Amino acid sequence: MQELDTPTFRLAVAQFDQAAEAMELDTNLRERLKLPQRSLVVSLPVRMDDGRVEVFTGYRVQHDSSRGPSKGGIRYHPDVNLGEVAALAMWMTWKCALAGLPYGGAKGGVSVAPKSLSAGELQRLTRRYAAEIFPLIGPDKDVPAPDVGTDAQIMAWIMDTYSQQVGYAVPGVVTGKPLSIGGSLGREEATGRGVVYVTLEALRHLNLPVETATVAVQGFGNVGSHTARIMQQQGARVIAVSDVSGGLYNPKGLDLVKLMSRDLNQPLHQTKLGDAITNEELLQLECTVLVPAALSEQITGKNADRLKCRILSEGANGPTTLEADRILADKGIFVIPDILANSGGVIVSYFEWVQDLQRFFWSAADIQSRLQDIITSAFHRTLRFSTERRVSMRMAALMSGIDQVAQAHLQRGLYP
Ligand code: GLU
């Protein structure tokens, strides 16, 4: 489909094709699963603070709902387009199936630089977006969550806009909400904590002690900062982090408490807590664990050869191209693929949704231990599959996820 033809969508489809081929997936199903089930494009007129009306473009794409309501975040970023949202929705389908969550995949987004908006503009944009996608979402239909550029406050506005339309409070319509309106303990750090749990399993598998492990993290947003903090708590040395403005390197280990409590408008390299490095240099650092936790297509045919990590733990969605995958395999780098490594976010989103539907809330300890159980067993299932079938960890994860979805489609049959 021409409208979807973007680099990120091509990457998601190329990964799917490779997995479908290896598992000899039913050819009729292949054609269907390559495309999203339903896509909505909306125009969002927003009154700006200076009185002008600016029109933004928003999207919500549901890739598949054969196993339950569709689930996936909402991204606010200037580069958001239909193809990227569709790719991210497809990855959500495989991610939920791999973790055994009763969800299909979806994703939403608005093409906007959220930091360029005032709080009022951001709220008006979000409420208009929620109103425009209202026919698609709901606790039994499609449940949004935060992603790049969105947070708990934005989820609260979506929950409120939806609830105003139906006339009563519906906490289960989004996850990643503030605690006061039905959010879950541990949701904010969940993606980072999940990255840490699978990384610890990979270190153990490779007989590498965490105490001597060094970690470099690209991206110091929600996923990157919590991953860095929790890896350090576990005894690893975090030697580099970066954000859009560049990175910071300190071979002795960075002071993450100071970094996380800095004024958020201050670029990382201005903190003087380490030497300034570029994002590209960060990816090429010698380290035990490299965590790309920013945007897609960061590790490509051009730079994969220069990576010097032992483990690549993908906090971001789609950070590695297929060409890079081949190079990393030749170099013997152990890859924990995105749909496994970053699934902690949607796993705790699932806990939040269950708590909202049951009106019964769990302790932080329960959430952490259930997250650890689910993600660790997904890791070991994937590792076993990869060893037995002699495929990469990425192919193993994709094939397991796709297989769950395929079974659901074949058992439900084709409508009408
Ligand atoms: N945006 C996150 C992801 O890419 C979380 C999605 C969710 O919790 O629904 O996995």
Side-chain angles (χ1 to χ4, degrees), residues 156-175:
W157 290 327
I158 297 178
M159 179 272 187
D160 183 66
T161 305
Y162 184 92
S163 301
Q164 296 294 346
Q165 306 261 345
V166 295
Y168 51 90
V170 186
V173 67
V174 288
T175 58

Side-chain angles (χ1 to χ4, degrees), residues 71-73 92 95 107 143 145-147 175 187 317 342 345-346 349:
K71 186 85 192 79
M92 284 307 303
K95 192 187 300 187
K107 203 78 170 199
V143 185
D147 193 78
T175 58
R187 174 60 187 89
N317 289 309
N342 71 32
V346 73
S349 274

